[in-house]
Amino acid sequence: EAQVTQNPRYLITVTGKKLTVTCSQNMNHEYMSWYRQDPGLGLRQIYYSMNVEVTDKGDVPEGYKVSRKEKRNFPLILESPSPNQTSLYFCASSTGLALNGGYNEQFFGPGTRLTVL
Amino acid sequence: AQSVTQLDSHVSVSEGTPVLLRCNYSSSYSPSLFWYVQHPNKGLQLLLKYTSAATLVKGINGFEAEFKKSETSFHLTKPSAHMSDAAEYFCVVSSSAQAGGYNKLIFGAGTRLAAHP
């Protein structure tokens, strides 16, 4: 089954304790991205990757790191989490550009609910 | 800059009555537009997308949306609501390379649809 998986689905941690949220896709997509969802703000992009070893900042990158060593995996790293990073996080993947010049849909993982105390 | 405005944060309808979720966008370039749905405690699922083909786009579960360039709108409609339609709906514009982005999704704040008997 074509899917994007994230782990863990739920995580409660304390301020300053490094954590990693994993994301994996089995669709051979080149493009992957991380978003955070906060009430009333919709989803905001944290980082994205156009391909292996190519990553770039989104709208809210502060406090986050990513890496793309393999095509299928795109982990999100919080080196020193703070309470303002309490949020619902989504990983997404896509083939990128469509043949007509538009953009193909992005497929989303199930989400990771993170609480930082 | 590109942006998306969902005009209603909450919409409540009776089962069997029409649904209208309003969305306006701002873009200097020909946009790709999407509607995503998020059911409680679930990830995001694509309902439909517009990528410069037909202006009336049909999606899953009986939803459709019409792209109106003159009004910069992409409203989502369904002729007859069902209880299972209760969810949060996001209007999304995809940033273009010309606008300084690459396959970046810009989300509206969301509209929560409630359907009651």
Side-chain angles (χ1 to χ4, degrees):
Chain A
E1 180 190 356
Q3 59 183 346
V4 179
T5 57
Q6 295 178 229
N7 281 292
R9 294 288 313 279
Y10 302 90
L11 179 60
I12 301 174
T13 189
V14 296
T15 298
K17 185 177 181 181
K18 181 180 178 179
L19 66 92
T20 299
V21 183
T22 64
C23 173
S24 183
Q25 50 93 4
N26 62 2
M27 295 170 278
N28 201 35
H29 285 166
E30 292 179 348
Y31 178 91
M32 297 185 75
S33 182
W34 275 102
Y35 297 86
R36 61 177 288 172
Q37 183 180 19
D38 302 290
L41 296 177
L43 277 75
R44 294 176 294 167
Q45 190 181 54
I46 303 170
Y47 268 95
Y48 66 95
S49 170
M50 292 164 59
N51 214 325
V52 174
E53 301 292 2
V54 181
T55 63
D56 208 347
K57 296 177 181 179
D59 294 318
V60 288
E62 294 77 21
Y64 305 94
K65 286 175 57 177
V66 293
S67 68
R68 187 92 181 272
K69 294 183 170 56
E70 306 165 283
K71 197 171 188 178
R72 63 183 292 127
N73 296 323
F74 190 46
L76 179 69
I77 303 156
L78 284 72
E79 294 270 4
S80 182
S82 62
N84 64 12
Q85 293 178 298
T86 293
S87 188
L88 180 58
Y89 291 86
F90 288 99
C91 180
S93 73
S94 169
T95 57
L97 284 171
L99 291 176
N100 63 1
Y103 288 93
N104 285 320
E105 68 175 285
Q106 293 190 17
F107 293 84
F108 285 83
T112 295
R113 188 167 293 282
L114 172 65
T115 301
V116 183
L117 301 174
Chain B
Q2 293 175 294
S3 64
V4 176
T5 302
Q6 291 183 242
L7 299 167
D8 308 289
S9 58
H10 291 84
V11 170
S12 182
V13 299
S14 299
E15 194 173 22
T17 64
V19 175
L20 170 64
L21 304 183
R22 298 181 295 166
C23 172
N24 286 104
Y25 70 92
S26 171
S27 177
S28 301
Y29 306 95
S30 297
S32 293
L33 292 159
F34 308 81
W35 276 98
Y36 281 84
V37 60
Q38 184 180 28
H39 289 276
N41 300 313
K42 300 284 188 184
L44 286 90
Q45 180 185 19
L46 181 71
L47 272 181
L48 50 82
K49 66 179 179 181
Y50 166 79
T51 56
S52 75
T55 57
L56 182 61
V57 181
K58 294 187 184 300
I60 61 172
N61 300 335
F63 284 95
E64 62 181 39
E66 186 171 9
F67 173 71
K68 292 186 176 181
K69 187 175 181 179
S70 60
E71 299 176 9
T72 61
S73 69
F74 190 58
H75 301 334
L76 182 70
T77 60
K78 182 174 181 178
S80 177
H82 191 271
M83 296 292 287
S84 61
D85 293 328
E88 188 149 25
Y89 292 79
F90 293 97
C91 182
V92 183
V93 63
S94 184
S95 176
S96 67
Q98 301 98 314
Y102 178 84
N103 205 13
K104 178 173 117 173
L105 298 186
I106 300 165
F107 282 74
T111 298
R112 188 166 297 278
L113 176 66
H116 50 85

